[in-house]
Amino acid sequence: MIVSPSLLSADFGNLNKDLEMINSSEADWLHIDIMDGVFVPNISFGFPVLKFVQKVCKKPLDVHLMIVEPQKFIEEVKACGAEIMNVHYEACTHLDRVVQQIKAAGMKAGVTLNPATPVCMLRDIVSELDLVLLMSVNPGFGGQKFIHNTLNKVKELRKLIEETGSKALIEVDGGVNAETGAMLRDAGADVLVAGNYVFKSENPTSAISLLRNL
Ligand code: DX5
Ligand code: ZN
């Protein structure tokens, strides 16, 4: 299992310490949640913080933009060293264009679906994607309860990926812990994002290893 701990639950008063923990852990990526208070009812942090994270973090950055008009920030996200740029399906009128622009900028393109957006909406684009991020909570906050219907969506997406010959990875974000992580593995997920489960744990590095070895 690929594990992408979510920085949103880190200690922003001591980011260096948490980033060093990530560096020395088995984490594969670091998940970065950027919110604008418009697309989601919360604001997290922006590019100045991301630039600092890039300097310290040795893991690939998996950037999840919960913002309207994400196409305006492709170059900025690239300049912050992102390896993967995830945009919401619900935030892009011209999704195909945005995906092509992300790839042309030299990043992997991910498309994120809110819990109420069906997987079938990706039928005509999934073969172009490097990753699909399924939200298993309504985006905007860490520490929410896992929405169980996500398990059906993972299975459906796995089927769509096979039918279309897509190489996209299936990533799941929200309410992931050892229990929901095991269910997601069985359903066919490739990547687990975990915020609270990792950063609020007594031993974050072993929480990461546990998810990784599911
Ligand atoms: C929620 C964010 C998540 C969040 C997950 O909008 O996209 O990445 O940090 O947090 P947990 O794992 O605590 O649900
Ligand atoms: Zn996220």
Side-chain angles (χ1 to χ4, degrees):
M1 191 63 80
I2 297 169
V3 178
S4 192
S6 172
L7 191 72
L8 192 63
S9 301
D11 177 3
F12 284 84
N14 202 346
L15 216 41
N16 263 317
K17 182 167 164 271
D18 280 351
L19 290 171
E20 293 302 348
M21 181 279 289
I22 292 293
N23 286 344
S24 64
S25 77
E26 287 191 278
D28 297 278
W29 303 342
L30 181 63
H31 186 82
I32 309 278
D33 291 300
I34 298 192
M35 306 178 188
D36 64 357
V38 178
F39 183 71
V40 287
N42 195 12
I43 295 176
S44 53
F45 50 82
F47 298 118
V49 173
L50 189 44
K51 283 196 175 115
F52 169 76
V53 171
Q54 178 199 11
K55 265 197 241 160
V56 182
C57 186
K58 298 196 175 84
K59 309 278 178 168
L61 303 180
D62 162 35
V63 178
H64 174 197
L65 293 173
M66 284 160 273
I67 64 172
V68 297
E69 303 192 272
Q71 72 280 0
K72 286 186 179 167
F73 299 100
I74 293 172
E75 288 309 321
E76 193 95 35
V77 172
K78 172 68 182 170
C80 290
E83 172 129 342
I84 304 156
M85 177 167 165
N86 291 292
V87 295
H88 268 261
Y89 170 85
E90 302 84 4
C92 299
T93 308
H94 301 289
L95 184 62
D96 183 84
R97 179 183 290 143
V98 181
V99 165
Q100 301 313 333
Q101 287 172 338
I102 293 171
K103 294 204 283 191
M107 292 179 286
K108 292 190 174 131
V111 170
T112 310
L113 297 185
N114 277 337
T117 306
V119 162
C120 62
M121 301 312 277
L122 297 180
R123 174 165 287 277
D124 293 327
I125 190 128
V126 74
S127 59
E128 296 296 310
L129 303 180
D130 297 298
L131 184 146
V132 176
L133 176 57
L134 296 177
M135 290 309 301
S136 40
V137 296
N138 287 293
F141 305 92
Q144 301 183 82
K145 196 168 171 291
F146 182 78
I147 297 173
H148 275 262
N149 183 50
T150 314
L151 298 171
N152 298 326
K153 290 177 78 173
V154 171
K155 289 181 200 154
E156 219 182 302
L157 178 57
R158 177 58 62 208
K159 202 162 152 253
L160 181 64
I161 284 173
E162 276 163 19
E163 279 168 16
T164 54
S166 165
K167 294 193 169 58
L169 294 174
I170 303 178
E171 180 174 26
V172 182
D173 184 6
V176 171
N177 54 36
E179 193 190 339
T180 55
M183 293 191 270
L184 288 164
R185 171 209 56 205
D186 292 345
D190 302 298
V191 188
L192 298 177
V193 176
N196 269 32
Y197 179 70
V198 166
F199 287 97
K200 307 295 181 210
S201 142
E202 279 190 8
N203 191 337
T205 46
S206 51
I208 291 168
S209 300
L210 193 147
L211 292 179
R212 199 160 187 277
N213 296 316
L214 276 176

